[in-house]
Amino acid sequence: MTSQAIGMIETFGNVFVINAGDAMCKAAEVELIGYENTASGYISVIVQGDVSACRTAVDAGVAAVHEMGAEIYSSCVIARPHEDLFKILQKYELQKQLPYGE
């Protein structure tokens, strides 16, 4: 897993994060890496691609969540992520999160 950029959005609830992920993937040429469901319902969705695609995707995901009347707790784009970050991100890959694989 290597990328020119990583885009992330954190919100509250499955419905909102699924909507954000859908908007992100439709808005730009990004690949959905996975998600992280943390305590108390906070959920993050993570994509990768080139820097401009990740920025476009994050903006679209944020707008989609706002359109539903929900809050974004955080969002960011990391351009040229350090290769060691992928050691952390591997934990959140979809095939590792879903009980039945992809």
Side-chain angles (χ1 to χ4, degrees):
M1 180 187 326
T2 60
S3 178
Q4 294 178 353
I6 298 167
M8 299 168 279
I9 293 176
E10 182 177 44
T11 189
F12 187 84
N14 280 327
V15 172
F16 302 122
V17 83
I18 289 170
N19 191 43
D22 181 61
M24 292 169 84
C25 290
K26 288 177 178 175
E29 190 67 35
V30 294
E31 177 186 357
L32 180 66
I33 293 178
Y35 70 97
E36 168 62 4
N37 189 350
T38 60
S40 303
Y42 292 102
I43 305 173
S44 300
V45 62
I46 308 162
V47 297
Q48 68 179 359
D50 67 41
V51 176
S52 63
C54 284
R55 288 191 197 283
T56 299
V58 168
D59 290 345
V62 167
V65 172
H66 284 154
E67 285 176 16
M68 293 181 72
E71 291 183 41
I72 294 291
Y73 290 98
S74 62
S75 66
C76 75
V77 173
I78 300 174
R80 294 177 288 116
H82 190 277
E83 64 187 41
D84 286 348
L85 282 181
F86 292 102
K87 294 175 186 175
I88 297 169
L89 291 175
Q90 287 176 351
K91 174 183 176 187
Y92 306 117
E93 290 177 353
L94 287 176
Q95 59 269 30
K96 293 180 181 175
Q97 298 288 323
L98 303 174
Y100 49 82
E102 202 172 343

